[in-house]
Amino acid sequence: MKKTIYAVFDVGKTNKKVILFDEDRQIIEEKQHVCVDTVDDDGFPCESLARLTQWVQDHWHGLRTNSRFSVKGVNFTSYGASFVHLGANGQPVLPLYNYLKPLPEQWLERFYQELGQSKEEFAAATCSPQLGMLNSGLQLYWLKHAKPQQFSRIRTSLHLPQYLSYLITGEAFSDYTSVGCHTGLWDYAKGQYHDWVYREGIDDKLAPLTQDSVAGVVDGILVGVGLHDSSAAVLPYLLECQEPFLLVSTGTWAVVLNPFNDQPLTPELLRRDCLSFLSPKGRMTKAARNFFGREHDYQVQRIANHFQVKPDFYHSFVLARPYDPAAAPFHPWCMAGTGPFPDEPVTEWELSGFKTAGEAYHQLIHGLMDILTESIKLVYQDEQIIYVDGGFARNPLFMQVLGWNFPQADIRTLEVPQATALGALTHLEQGEAWTKTQLLFT
């Protein structure tokens, strides 16, 4: 008897993974791959679309012909702000441009001149701070005006998760999670594409939007539409908890996600590093972010160098100390222009007043937590549950000080291995086509 499984392709900027789940959503196998970059037509580094495509197709073929497994469903999740441009024959006709590629200033200026809105009004309407190529809609504007010949070859532009799905089904869709991630495409107040998208004819290049999670059935296997990784990571928590909650996702960035806050973004919130995303059903999810993990690692290295200890010195700390008002106040170095205090000047934090590395580290945690607390308050609506995931969920001092700052909340961790991939799987299971197939067998 073959074992029934589900597969999720989780495509990050560096690491690509195929993760296999059993019917109880337990991980049974994981394969990693690193794709080597190439360069685009301007010589700027970018993902090798040909190699990525081959990798997906090879694994898809391997799954269908595997003697041990019977695949019931497959879905895709990947980083955002990346379009794959298909020509009349359905094949890619342009590189997969890197969202870190600089967007020439002349096209940005022209875009805003033609907009009929100030930069601040546009950012608030589309929940998209000015981020250059990270505003993926502006990639299409740039292509239309800077590379008109190439643009004319495009029949359909698909965000990367939907391209991965298209490789298997041949069905082209847009999904709300990709359209709603700081693309500059979506007018949140109107609940449709922004006026500039229609004025420029960009809507003609975009595939139909779908709220369903199933793109098609191939060889009896349900194939998902795919979704943006940040949105995927929230879904296991929505499945686990029926009450309103806040999710603090920790890593290089600390991203605070509130799936229950659909209040409009203001220019002030945008200035303080807040965003809104769209859920798979097109509902607003408010988020705030700061450079927590990067700042933490930078300052830990400074403390280790200053006191001549190993960089993992803090791993043995299990009990947080109260804030010491007499100690040198913490000053961030890496957060300039980001987070809830974007105008704070860069100042080197003075370590000479601390007697030990431990004293300095406790003060660091309090200082960082004060910044994170402000980020949380920007999207907080008195939710009684705060989930923490990522690396800092395993840091006892982080968890204790967060609890001190929010004494009214229940601070929880939900150890979800591969939360993004699991989110993509649960998204697939919520599809209308999935529900109909279940009815056939019951």
Side-chain angles (χ1 to χ4, degrees):
M1 284 282 292
K2 287 187 176 185
K3 187 177 182 65
T4 301
I5 63 157
Y6 308 99
V8 175
F9 288 78
D10 184 356
V11 174
K13 280 286 279 180
T14 304
N15 293 313
K16 327 294 178 191
K17 292 177 280 192
V18 182
I19 299 163
L20 306 185
F21 294 87
D22 65 17
E23 291 187 283
D24 296 319
R25 298 183 183 144
Q26 299 300 305
I27 296 171
I28 57 172
E29 197 171 295
E30 181 181 328
K31 294 179 181 177
Q32 288 210 35
H33 177 70
V34 177
C35 279
V36 180
D37 277 358
T38 183
V39 294
D40 64 23
D41 47 351
D42 297 316
F44 194 85
C46 70
E47 182 98 57
S48 171
L49 187 55
R51 282 194 283 266
L52 176 60
T53 298
Q54 192 63 54
W55 173 76
V56 172
Q57 290 174 332
D58 287 348
H59 278 282
W60 170 243
H61 176 73
L63 286 168
R64 285 188 300 167
T65 57
N66 193 294
S67 59
R68 294 185 297 138
F69 300 133
S70 173
V71 184
K72 193 171 183 179
V74 59
N75 207 358
F76 310 86
T77 178
S78 85
Y79 59 90
S82 301
F83 272 118
V84 178
H85 308 285
L86 307 176
N89 64 353
Q91 297 299 310
V93 291
L94 291 173
L96 177 55
Y97 292 106
N98 190 333
Y99 61 61
L100 299 176
K101 181 186 177 79
L103 188 60
E105 198 62 37
Q106 69 183 95
W107 301 115
L108 267 178
E109 288 176 9
R110 177 172 164 175
F111 176 81
Y112 285 110
Q113 283 170 3
E114 296 171 346
L115 198 54
Q117 280 181 304
S118 69
K119 293 178 183 179
E120 293 74 22
E121 288 170 334
F122 177 70
T126 60
C127 299
S128 303
Q130 190 177 330
L131 299 169
M133 285 281 194
L134 271 162
N135 304 132
S136 58
L138 270 66
Q139 293 181 26
L140 290 166
Y141 178 87
W142 164 72
L143 280 171
K144 178 181 177 182
H145 295 285
K147 298 174 181 281
Q149 227 175 345
Q150 287 96 318
F151 184 80
S152 67
R153 297 168 60 200
I154 300 172
R155 184 190 66 187
T156 307
S157 293
L158 298 176
H159 275 103
L160 184 54
Q162 286 66 61
Y163 170 71
L164 301 175
S165 171
Y166 167 82
L167 282 175
I168 308 305
T169 65
E171 301 286 346
F173 291 105
S174 296
D175 104 295
Y176 283 97
T177 68
S178 292
V179 166
C181 84
H182 53 73
T183 61
L185 290 167
W186 193 255
D187 188 317
Y188 276 72
K190 293 181 178 178
Q192 63 181 39
Y193 289 120
H194 193 277
D195 291 347
W196 81 266
V197 177
Y198 300 107
R199 187 190 71 231
E200 294 286 342
I202 298 298
D203 57 310
D204 290 339
K205 304 289 186 182
L206 301 174
L209 267 165
T210 180
Q211 287 190 355
D212 196 4
S213 61
V214 177
V217 181
V218 179
D219 295 343
I221 300 169
L222 287 164
V223 183
V225 171
L227 71 168
H228 178 236
D229 52 13
S230 293
S231 300
V234 182
L235 295 179
Y237 295 88
L238 288 167
L239 200 69
E240 177 73 18
C241 188
Q242 305 308 310
E243 302 170 59
F245 65 85
L246 206 71
L247 173 62
V248 181
S249 180
T250 65
T252 302
W253 290 89
V255 182
V256 185
L257 293 150
N258 189 339
F260 306 92
N261 184 337
D262 58 3
Q263 296 301 305
L265 274 186
T266 63
E268 177 61 12
L269 286 172
L270 279 157
R271 191 183 71 81
R272 300 186 71 187
D273 230 346
C274 291
L275 292 168
S276 285
F277 298 101
L278 288 177
S279 75
K281 298 293 186 184
R283 183 178 172 181
M284 183 187 291
T285 296
K286 192 170 281 185
R289 64 175 197 162
N290 66 69
F291 220 8
F292 190 101
R294 175 70 184 92
E295 186 72 50
H296 173 274
D297 293 351
Y298 172 78
Q299 299 293 354
V300 162
Q301 189 61 57
R302 284 188 70 228
I303 294 170
N305 292 343
H306 183 81
F307 290 98
Q308 298 184 324
V309 294
K310 292 180 178 178
D312 65 353
F313 70 90
Y314 65 94
H315 287 186
S316 60
F317 301 156
V318 293
L319 287 174
R321 301 174 193 166
Y323 176 75
D324 182 1
F330 172 69
H331 293 288
W333 183 262
C334 307
M335 292 187 173
T338 70
F341 305 114
D343 302 325
E344 180 140 338
V346 174
T347 310
E348 189 164 277
W349 181 35
E350 181 54 59
L351 297 175
S352 60
F354 296 103
K355 294 176 183 175
T356 66
E359 278 185 16
Y361 186 76
H362 281 80
Q363 193 74 348
L364 169 65
I365 286 294
H366 280 287
L368 284 172
M369 191 60 71
D370 286 346
I371 296 169
L372 178 60
T373 296
E374 284 303 311
S375 284
I376 291 173
K377 287 179 177 177
L378 292 174
V379 299
Y380 190 49
Q381 296 186 134
D382 294 322
E383 285 77 14
Q384 296 301 297
I385 298 168
I386 297 178
Y387 280 111
V388 181
D389 79 359
F392 285 92
R394 296 182 289 279
N395 183 315
L397 274 60
F398 176 98
M399 297 297 288
Q400 288 167 48
V401 178
L402 179 63
W404 292 348
N405 286 14
F406 291 91
Q408 74 281 19
D410 178 8
I411 311 295
R412 301 180 185 176
T413 59
L414 184 66
E415 285 297 320
V416 181
Q418 304 294 355
T420 302
L422 181 59
L425 171 57
T426 60
H427 181 236
L428 179 68
E429 292 176 331
Q430 292 163 8
E432 291 173 23
W434 179 282
T435 306
K436 287 173 184 174
T437 60
Q438 300 310 296
L439 292 172
L440 290 174
F441 296 103
T442 56

